[in-house]
Amino acid sequence: MDLVVMGVGVMIGAGIFSLAGRQAATMAGPGVVLSFMIAGITSLLVAFCFAELSSALPTSGSAYTFTYVIFGEVWAWAVGWALVLELLLASAGVSRVWSLYASQLLTDLGIRFPEPLASITGRSEGFDLFTLFILVLLTAVITLGARIGLRALRIIVAAKLLAIGAVIVVGVTHFDQRNLSAIPVPPAPAGASVDALHSPLLGLLFGQPGAFGWFGIFAASAVITFAYIGFDVVATAAEEAEDAPLSVPKGIIRSLIVTTVVYIAVALVMVGMISYDRIDVEAPLANAFRAAGEGFMVHVINLGAVLGLTTVVLVLLVGLTRVMFSMARDGLFPRSLARVNRRYHSPTRVTLLIGGVAILLAEFVPVLTLEPLVVIGTLFVFVAVAAGVLRMRRTMPDLPRGFRVPFSPFVPVASIAACLWLLVNLQIVTWLYFAAWMAVGLLVYLLYGRHNSVLSGNDRATAPVGSGLRGRHRR
């Protein structure tokens, strides 16, 4: 149950109150419900693959460790570097959104800050006091130990699910089926004036696709995949879970199913309450309730968003801590980052480093514009994990598994195909940024990781516990 709470805590955030409305208004119309289904099914296929690998290799590090055992160090570094991009940018970006919602909640409740403080709170760019506060607070919670963070996570997840339940129940009373039948007509294909860098990669193959219609539904599903990011973080807690080969797969799959049902329910309520062409993209669900005369629900939505984002940032930071801890334990990052504090029983050094970098990113980089980079990093990792299932079935068929992907190899192949389809719906500029990030990662590996890793032969006495798995695989 703790693993399910962890998965739900990281996947259900403020996006549940805004993402459906924004994509319905600008890209998919009422078909946004199908977009959530497509993204959810894609994530579920990948979740089966994560479940099998985590049951066979229940060690900290998630996809990074899986790739290390199955494909070797170079590919493991690439996946780990992509995970760092995904989790670090996500934690920085979500903390910035947390500040916006927290500021709006206090404003709606009539709480005002004096001018010097008001000018540095609730900002989308530049120094923001609330962003600094939430990152410092959650970094401290993680540093003090996993049990403290888990207790806080249980309480906050329960509270935000109550808020979401209220949104669904009240929203259903204003549901109008006619809003679902207002199917938008796709516009004519865009001309040469469209910025090519900000068009989907798919446009290189089939011309510039416009919004709405099936192109819009699939393009929206690629963006909505961001909402499902996080179920893979559950696998990073494998070394801290009881009976990990069985409990981790259950935690991954069950948390994703709960999240998918909740997302689809909220999306259906959203497009049923108001016609897609009247949705306010700035605060879609809140303004829909205002229009319906349910102004009190705006406070519930803002409170639910603040609670939801708190758990998202918390679990993202925990997951990134475990990934970088595993990479440092293997020598790809400085091994001092893999030391566990005897008092708090947690890797405090790497936690403080991650918290500090997340603060710098959130305060000095326009992270809200980099959301697609989180998606592309995640989908890259998903493809590697699905491919890992296929390879491990051939190279390690007798390795004990607490869970096996059903209908293999169809499910792993379908996972790869679905992820690739979502990838080609991302903008060309996102691909260029991702290529630049991976190029920097390759340079870091060649200059440091290759010469200091466990497999390089340097300081083999410090070989991590997980390296025994890799040793058996090589033999």
Side-chain angles (χ1 to χ4, degrees):
M1 183 57 65
D2 288 337
L3 293 173
V4 172
V5 170
M6 185 177 180
V8 172
V10 70
M11 282 186 282
I12 298 182
I16 194 172
F17 302 121
S18 59
L19 196 58
R22 289 203 310 268
Q23 293 303 310
T26 62
M27 193 61 64
V32 73
V33 177
L34 293 178
S35 300
F36 271 96
M37 291 181 180
I38 292 169
I41 292 171
T42 301
S43 299
L44 186 59
L45 292 174
V46 178
F48 284 137
C49 299
F50 265 96
E52 176 168 329
L53 296 187
S54 63
S55 71
L57 307 169
T59 59
S60 181
S62 184
Y64 159 75
T65 302
F66 306 155
T67 311
Y68 208 145
V69 175
I70 299 169
F71 294 108
E73 185 176 273
V74 176
W75 280 108
W77 169 263
V79 168
W81 192 246
L83 280 170
V84 170
L85 173 71
E86 168 198 343
L87 299 176
L88 189 58
L89 270 183
S91 58
V94 173
S95 64
R96 177 68 78 165
V97 178
W98 184 93
S99 172
L100 297 175
Y101 273 98
S103 178
Q104 186 62 49
L105 175 63
L106 294 177
T107 300
D108 291 344
L109 293 176
I111 301 175
R112 298 287 189 273
F113 289 103
E115 184 52 36
L117 292 179
S119 61
I120 55 172
T121 56
R123 304 177 65 195
S124 58
E125 292 186 11
F127 178 79
D128 184 84
L129 188 61
F130 278 2
T131 301
L132 177 64
F133 165 76
I134 191 62
L135 284 173
V136 169
L137 174 64
L138 296 182
T139 300
V141 168
I142 298 169
T143 302
L144 294 176
R147 299 309 303 177
I148 296 176
L150 186 56
R151 293 190 190 101
L153 186 64
R154 293 171 186 159
I155 297 171
I156 299 175
V157 167
K160 77 173 177 180
L161 287 179
L162 287 175
I164 293 169
V167 168
I168 294 173
V169 171
V170 177
V172 166
T173 62
H174 299 280
F175 190 89
D176 187 348
Q177 189 175 355
R178 290 175 298 180
N179 291 327
L180 299 182
S181 61
I183 306 298
V185 178
S193 61
V194 175
D195 183 0
L197 287 179
H198 290 85
S199 63
L201 183 62
L202 192 65
L204 294 178
L205 303 176
F206 300 102
Q208 301 297 338
F212 306 113
W214 281 108
F215 272 127
I217 289 173
F218 279 111
S221 65
V223 176
I224 287 170
T225 302
F226 179 80
Y228 290 93
I229 289 173
F231 66 84
D232 53 315
V233 177
V234 176
T236 66
E239 288 187 20
E240 300 156 86
E242 297 180 5
D243 194 15
L246 293 178
S247 61
V248 173
K250 289 180 181 179
I252 292 173
I253 295 172
R254 291 177 181 178
S255 62
L256 182 58
I257 290 175
V258 170
T259 300
T260 302
V261 171
V262 171
Y263 273 147
I264 292 175
V266 173
L268 195 57
V269 167
M270 172 76 258
V271 295
M273 287 184 64
I274 187 171
S275 176
Y276 80 95
D277 55 355
R278 295 195 298 116
I279 292 176
D280 183 345
V281 295
E282 294 299 324
L285 199 55
N287 286 318
F289 276 106
R290 282 196 185 97
E294 301 284 357
F296 175 75
M297 289 303 299
V298 176
H299 303 308
V300 175
I301 291 171
N302 287 335
L303 178 60
V306 170
L307 294 174
L309 290 172
T310 302
T311 62
V312 172
V313 178
L314 177 63
V315 180
L316 286 172
L317 290 175
V318 170
L320 182 54
T321 298
R322 273 47 181 178
V323 170
M324 289 192 63
F325 171 83
S326 297
M327 297 178 74
R329 196 169 58 176
D330 291 336
L332 297 178
F333 287 134
R335 287 192 176 90
S336 60
L337 298 177
R339 293 177 184 173
V340 176
N341 186 287
R342 293 183 178 180
R343 180 179 179 182
Y344 301 117
H345 307 289
S346 65
T348 55
R349 290 189 179 186
V350 72
T351 302
L352 293 174
L353 173 64
I354 289 169
V357 175
I359 289 171
L360 292 176
L361 277 176
E363 297 289 4
F364 301 108
V365 176
V367 288
L368 295 183
T369 64
L370 301 179
E371 180 181 295
L373 271 178
V374 180
V375 176
I376 195 171
T378 302
L379 292 174
F380 175 80
V381 172
F382 285 178
V383 170
V385 169
V389 171
L390 297 173
R391 181 174 173 81
M392 196 169 72
R393 288 285 184 96
R394 294 197 307 269
T395 59
M396 292 175 275
D398 299 325
L399 186 67
R401 295 164 170 81
F403 175 87
R404 298 181 71 90
V405 174
F407 307 110
S408 184
F410 171 76
V411 169
V413 171
S415 302
I416 294 173
C419 289
L420 291 176
W421 175 253
L422 293 179
L423 281 168
V424 298
N425 278 279
L426 293 174
Q427 294 178 348
I428 295 174
V429 67
T430 303
W431 280 90
L432 295 177
Y433 281 138
F434 183 67
W437 172 260
M438 298 307 289
V440 171
L442 179 60
L443 185 62
V444 173
Y445 173 74
L446 292 176
L447 294 178
Y448 180 86
R450 184 179 63 169
H451 303 292
N452 293 277
S453 72
V454 171
L455 295 185
S456 70
N458 295 330
D459 198 10
R460 283 189 180 276
T462 61
V465 175
S467 66
L469 288 170
R470 291 185 282 277
R472 288 195 296 273
H473 176 45
R474 289 195 300 273
R475 289 195 294 271

